[in-house]
Amino acid sequence: MTSTQQHTGSVPQTGSKGLAAGKLGLLQSTVIGLASSAPLYSLAATLGFIVMAAGAQTPAALIVAFIPMCLTAFAYRELNTAIPDSGTAFTWAAKAFGPKTGWMAGWSVMVAGVIVMSSQTEVASKYLLLLIGDGSIADSKVLVTAFGALIIIAMTWISYRDVETGAITQYLLMALQYVAIIAFSIGLYFAIQAMPTLGLEFSWDWFNPFASDNPAGFVQGVLIAIFIYWGWDTCLALAEETKNPRTTPGLAALLSTVMLLVTYIGMTVLTMMFAGIGESGKGLGNPEGADDVFFALRLDAMGSCGWLLVLAVAISALATCQTTILPTARGTLSMGVYGALPKRFGVVNEVFKTPAYSTLFTGSASLVFYVGMTIISGDILADTIESTSLAVALYYSITSFACIWYFRSSLTSSARNVFFRLVLPLVGGLMMSAVFVYSAISMLDPEYGTTTILGISGTFVMGVGSLAMGFVVMGLWGLRPGSREYFAGRSLNRDTPVLVPEN
């Protein structure tokens, strides 16, 4: 079959998918990467759970989780240099391993985005309601869920309108987050000087993963910690809308991950030194406050201005709600363009130059999942976080191995290629695979996590169940005539031209 014949099918030959080109620079891309990870929200939603799992080795868990994330970021950068496609993991895996692996990688990206919206909207809704009156209305699950549903609708509308306006909005939201982070950290530092006996004395053992007396708990803490770094790949999903799409997104992703590591370690160490890791009172290991660590410490760190921290966490969660929709919608857009999903997913709004159907679908699916899971189980926050991490670990590992296989013919052509296209992606992929397999097996225990659905761990149902459903959906779509070009490897293969404008 000739190259020309391979390029025919349902793929448009216009050189791009119709997205707005050249709108985002390095600064905007880096800010979006940070906003997608939402440092303040991420720590507020996970620090307590990480401490409950990893104990005093929480800083070590954060570092161990960062290593595969950083290595995966290098794999993303290499692949984006050659294929700056909005489908990212889907497109790269399909080009490297074939249509079925690519489809499952795309499905994993979509699953992660839909599931994580539950924890994001839960935190945003709760923290915003805490600002009203004495904050007691935040105890109403009905009000929190209803307000969370409105947040999903609003963020979907913003994402539908204009990617550039959304990026400008993220400047302000990210600035507010870091002002709050700096103020909170300074406040905690002085609080530690005033009450040195309340928390823990600093120890370098906190950074030693081998000092943990609970290896299983430490691994669980690493899995949760993976979640708080996730989001930098939004930079790559917006490559087609970025200036210098082959270089800028990859650099922005690497800058984002490093800034996140510094932020997380700094805040965690200060918080442990002030509050300790005890299971009562303000201790970070207290189950009653695990999903709300910063709220309990706001007055100690910021006094009468503590409400600013509550507002900042809410803003952080709102920011990541919007930036979560962006890569998810662009992933399904790419799947629609190449025929891995119905053609309607590949529709771009002619006015706003954004994925029309894909954006609305992502928002709607997130809304249904959030409300549905809240009705089934009222305490889903921790389990959605770990379920998201499972999906993330899967498509990150696929992407790492795809980097190696796609560049297999040039891996040993230079020392640089050996290092960046073989060694780093291989180590990152193996680490991500190990975390995925170990966690999936652990989730078989009905007692795993905080919720139970029909006698099964809620984490297993949401994580493994949603990924397994992908095989069913793929099989059903594979029976439709519209899928033949894709699954036959004609609409997307190693030689398919990149549908992205050069600028």
Side-chain angles (χ1 to χ4, degrees):
M1 179 176 291
T2 67
S3 178
T4 301
Q5 288 174 314
Q6 287 177 325
H7 296 165
T8 61
S10 60
V11 184
Q13 300 299 308
T14 59
S16 74
K17 302 183 185 70
L19 296 170
K23 294 293 185 180
L24 307 175
L26 178 60
L27 179 59
Q28 289 168 306
S29 294
T30 303
V31 169
I32 287 177
L34 286 171
S36 298
S37 300
L40 194 54
Y41 148 74
S42 295
L43 277 184
T46 62
L47 182 56
F49 297 114
I50 298 174
V51 169
M52 289 171 59
Q57 274 62 54
T58 291
L62 293 174
I63 294 174
V64 171
F66 169 78
I67 293 173
M69 276 293 185
C70 184
L71 299 181
T72 303
F74 280 109
Y76 264 73
R77 187 190 66 174
E78 293 301 306
L79 285 166
N80 183 77
T81 299
I83 316 166
D85 191 281
S86 66
T88 59
F90 155 71
T91 305
W92 300 332
K95 279 180 167 286
F97 299 127
K100 292 183 179 179
T101 304
W103 200 96
M104 282 305 301
W107 175 264
S108 299
V109 174
M110 181 172 64
V111 163
V114 169
I115 291 179
V116 78
M117 287 290 283
S118 295
S119 60
Q120 292 169 347
T121 52
E122 183 90 355
V123 170
S125 177
K126 182 176 181 180
Y127 270 73
L128 286 173
L129 291 175
L130 284 171
L131 295 171
I132 301 176
D134 60 359
S136 60
I137 61 174
D139 295 329
S140 171
K141 197 64 181 179
V142 174
L143 284 177
V144 170
T145 304
F147 194 38
L150 291 177
I151 289 174
I152 292 178
I153 294 172
M155 293 301 104
T156 301
W157 180 81
I158 292 174
S159 300
Y160 182 85
R161 293 279 299 182
D162 179 13
V163 67
E164 190 174 22
T165 301
I168 294 173
T169 301
Q170 293 298 337
Y171 279 144
L172 176 61
L173 298 182
M174 184 52 60
L176 290 173
Q177 280 190 71
Y178 269 91
V179 166
I181 287 172
I182 293 171
F184 179 73
S185 299
I186 293 175
L188 272 188
Y189 174 79
F190 285 108
I192 291 169
Q193 308 306 310
M195 296 181 288
T197 60
L198 181 61
L200 297 175
E201 183 177 351
F202 176 83
S203 172
W204 287 109
D205 280 344
W206 296 353
F207 299 89
N208 180 9
F210 302 104
S212 174
D213 57 2
N214 181 13
F218 182 80
V219 172
Q220 184 180 1
V222 170
L223 178 64
I224 300 173
I226 285 176
F227 165 81
I228 67 178
Y229 292 105
W230 176 57
W232 53 263
D233 50 325
T234 300
C235 305
L236 287 303
L238 297 176
E240 297 181 36
E241 297 147 277
T242 304
K243 300 172 185 176
N244 302 315
R246 296 182 184 274
T247 57
T248 299
L251 179 57
L254 292 173
L255 289 174
S256 299
T257 55
V258 173
M259 290 180 67
L260 287 170
L261 175 66
V262 173
T263 301
Y264 292 151
I265 293 296
M267 293 191 72
T268 298
V269 168
L270 284 173
T271 307
M272 289 176 61
M273 291 178 66
F274 176 77
I277 58 173
E279 299 179 359
S280 61
K282 296 179 180 179
L284 301 181
N286 186 348
E288 295 182 2
D291 61 348
D292 207 5
V293 170
F294 290 158
F295 184 76
L297 302 178
R298 71 193 190 286
L299 297 179
D300 298 291
M302 302 178 68
S304 59
C305 294
W307 64 272
L308 289 174
L309 182 66
V310 178
L311 177 61
V313 172
I315 287 174
S316 180
L318 285 173
T320 195
C321 281
Q322 188 222 338
T323 52
T324 295
I325 295 174
L326 297 179
T328 308
R330 279 150 183 80
T332 53
L333 166 74
S334 188
M335 293 179 77
V337 167
Y338 292 114
L341 287 176
K343 290 183 179 180
R344 65 176 70 96
F345 282 90
V347 174
V348 171
N349 184 284
E350 294 182 0
V351 177
F352 304 123
K353 303 298 182 182
T354 58
Y357 185 86
S358 287
T359 299
L360 297 177
F361 174 84
T362 300
S364 299
S366 300
L367 179 63
V368 171
F369 181 85
Y370 172 55
V371 175
M373 292 304 297
T374 302
I375 292 174
I376 294 174
S377 177
D379 185 17
I380 65 170
L381 182 59
D383 289 349
T384 56
I385 291 171
E386 294 197 53
S387 299
T388 300
S389 297
L390 199 64
V392 171
L394 177 61
Y395 79 78
Y396 276 175
S397 61
I398 291 175
T399 301
S400 295
F401 296 132
C403 177
I404 299 171
W405 194 244
Y406 182 80
F407 293 113
R408 62 188 182 277
S409 62
S410 62
L411 288 178
T412 58
S413 62
S414 68
R416 181 199 178 281
N417 285 357
V418 170
F419 191 65
F420 288 107
R421 295 183 175 181
L422 175 59
V423 177
L424 297 186
L426 179 61
V427 176
L430 290 175
M431 292 181 71
M432 283 291 182
S433 298
V435 170
F436 175 84
V437 173
Y438 181 88
S439 301
I441 294 174
S442 299
M443 290 176 186
L444 287 171
D445 184 354
E447 301 299 322
Y448 189 96
T450 60
T451 59
T452 301
I453 301 174
L454 301 177
I456 305 174
S457 166
T459 309
F460 185 89
V461 172
M462 286 186 284
V464 179
S466 58
L467 292 175
M469 188 184 299
F471 290 100
V472 177
V473 177
M474 180 173 61
L476 293 175
W477 173 238
L479 298 175
R480 305 291 296 175
S483 69
R484 291 173 184 169
E485 291 293 305
Y486 173 74
F487 285 109
R490 291 190 290 269
S491 65
L492 179 60
N493 53 63
R494 184 179 179 86
D495 299 318
T496 304
V498 177
L499 296 179
V500 55
E502 298 292 345
N503 55 72

